[in-house]
Amino acid sequence: MIWSMLTEREIEAMPAFLTVEEVAGVLRLKRSTAYEYVRQGIIPGIRLGSFIRVPKARLIEWMKADRQETSGRTANF
């Protein structure tokens, strides 16, 4: 997964709350797809007034959980 390609230093340097656009860049998603995933609750996000932010800690937890869920299974392409 792309997240694992980032170094610990790069992850630590990220702000505690990421914009949806930043998350889209990290996950290599289209901006619209990232917003839709946040809207559906697939990517953990919170609304602060008119802004949507993704807590870095929750994003890391979400990605680790997804990695554990899919380990040992093969992808169906």
Side-chain angles (χ1 to χ4, degrees):
M1 191 161 249
I2 299 302
W3 193 262
S4 62
M5 294 172 64
L6 297 174
T7 66
E8 282 189 43
R9 180 173 282 162
E10 289 171 323
I11 293 170
E12 287 176 12
M14 294 177 137
F17 292 89
L18 303 163
T19 66
V20 177
E21 290 85 359
E22 289 170 329
V23 171
V26 168
L27 298 177
R28 298 180 69 183
L29 297 172
K30 290 182 181 178
R31 180 179 171 265
S32 60
T33 302
Y35 271 103
E36 182 61 23
Y37 286 176
V38 169
R39 187 188 71 74
Q40 292 178 14
I42 296 169
I43 293 174
I46 59 171
R47 183 171 290 280
L48 301 169
S50 62
F51 300 102
I52 298 173
R53 295 294 182 260
V54 178
K56 178 175 66 172
R58 294 217 23 230
L59 182 65
I60 292 169
E61 289 172 11
W62 173 76
M63 295 189 73
K64 285 180 181 177
D66 182 62
R67 192 176 319 148
Q68 289 173 353
E69 245 178 54
T70 58
S71 67
R73 288 192 274 162
T74 56
N76 295 320
F77 292 106

